[in-house]
Amino acid sequence: MSFLLASALLFALGVYGVLTRRTAILVFLSIELMLNAANLALVGFARAHGLEGQVAALTVIAIAAAEVAVGLGLIVAIFRHRESTAVDDLSELRG
Amino acid sequence: MSLWEGLAVALLLLSGALVVTLRNAIHAALALILNFLVLAGVYIALDARFLGFIQVIVYAGAIVVLFLFVIMLLFAAQGEVGFDPLVRSRPLAALLALGVAGALLSGLGGLKLAFGKDLQGGLPGALGPLLYGDWLLVLLAVGFLLMAATVVAVALVQPSRPLDALRPEERAQEVVR
């Protein structure tokens, strides 16, 4: 059960990071932390329900890779336009 | 909770706390790598060996290194930038995160789980039939998603015009960037 405890606390740490960090890249790092907390719970549940949990965790890793590619591309593109990655500067939806 | 479990949980939480509190973004990314390596060890201990190695190779090896590249490319190592529009929001954020943790723990605590299913070590030989059987559609969808993400990433960071077509002063600016 200790890994489920660790998973919940890691997810909460990620939430704290998303709420307090002010640059887009660091918010992104906190999101990765939350994804991994969910993965840890999936791997833990696989011990009770079978291998499907591990396959789901594998899928999550692949989706996270796609998300990082798009997200970092967005951050680089925004930085070229605005010379900043601070999320407070980017609160408008126009260039 | 055995000694090793306690040590792993403590290391996970310590490195996670470092990720969300360190001021230098590069240090935060390095703490994230530590977190992922400990997590890979936990996966292997939880009978998910293939996933543990994938965690090391893909997450710690590829994704976080990509993060490090972007942080260095944008000179974005400074974590505290600009002015803070919400002064002293940290205690509030900590309270909210604790609330999330409490909700998750109360949900997980109500589960009656019987651990100890035979997972055959979580090796690729055991995962493959599932991945290419019931999960085939998911696998194909993820492959399509990865291809789309690659195309989007290339299209996003392309300069609006090719470098040859830029005026000299614009080209100088592009090189500086």
Side-chain angles (χ1 to χ4, degrees):
Chain A
M1 281 306 275
S2 58
F3 50 86
L4 289 181
L5 174 88
S7 160
L9 292 178
L10 271 179
F11 192 90
L13 274 176
V15 170
Y16 175 78
V18 168
L19 288 174
T20 53
R21 290 298 204 179
R22 298 214 310 281
T23 54
I25 293 177
L26 286 168
V27 172
F28 219 169
L29 280 184
S30 310
I31 293 175
E32 292 304 314
L33 209 58
M34 290 159 77
L35 276 172
N36 272 279
N39 258 355
L40 180 56
L42 281 175
V43 172
F45 287 140
R47 302 233 304 162
H49 293 293
L51 276 169
E52 278 89 354
Q54 293 188 11
V55 180
L58 209 56
T59 314
V60 170
I61 289 181
I63 294 175
E67 172 232 354
V68 165
V70 175
L72 289 180
L74 268 176
I75 289 176
V76 170
I78 290 173
F79 184 82
R80 287 176 155 199
H81 270 279
R82 306 286 293 262
E83 301 282 324
S84 161
T85 58
V87 283
D88 295 323
D89 299 343
L90 307 173
S91 53
E92 294 160 1
L93 271 179
R94 58 186 178 82
Chain B
M1 197 189 288
S2 71
L3 176 67
W4 287 109
E5 278 181 21
L7 186 67
V9 171
L11 266 177
L12 276 178
L13 292 180
L14 183 71
S15 55
L18 285 179
V19 171
V20 296
T21 51
L22 279 177
R23 280 164 183 272
N24 189 321
I26 291 176
H27 297 169
L30 290 177
L32 195 66
I33 290 185
L34 175 66
N35 189 298
F36 287 172
L37 290 180
V38 177
L39 207 55
V42 172
Y43 285 169
I44 290 171
L46 286 176
D47 271 351
R49 285 181 221 169
F50 180 60
L51 209 57
F53 290 119
I54 288 292
Q55 174 85 7
V56 174
I57 295 169
V58 174
Y59 246 123
I63 294 183
V64 184
V65 172
L66 197 65
F67 267 107
L68 282 171
F69 267 127
V70 170
I71 292 170
M72 292 177 184
L73 177 75
L74 303 184
F75 304 106
Q78 198 71 35
E80 307 285 327
V81 288
F83 81 107
D84 193 354
L86 273 176
V87 189
R88 282 191 284 279
S89 58
R90 272 161 203 276
L92 205 61
L95 206 66
L96 212 80
L98 276 180
V100 169
L104 284 175
L105 283 176
S106 70
L108 292 173
L111 292 176
K112 297 276 181 291
L113 293 173
F115 297 111
K117 200 134 179 153
D118 177 30
L119 298 178
Q120 299 152 45
L123 290 169
L127 288 175
L130 266 179
L131 208 53
Y132 288 95
D134 292 347
W135 289 70
L136 183 60
L137 208 61
V138 176
L139 188 73
L140 293 177
V142 166
F144 185 75
L145 179 75
L146 275 172
M147 190 193 67
T150 313
V151 172
V152 167
V154 171
L156 268 176
V157 294
Q158 235 173 11
S160 47
R161 276 175 293 163
L163 270 183
D164 307 334
L166 294 177
R167 288 194 297 277
E169 66 267 24
E170 280 180 333
R171 188 185 308 188
Q173 210 179 4
E174 196 66 43
V175 170
V176 167
R177 280 175 186 171

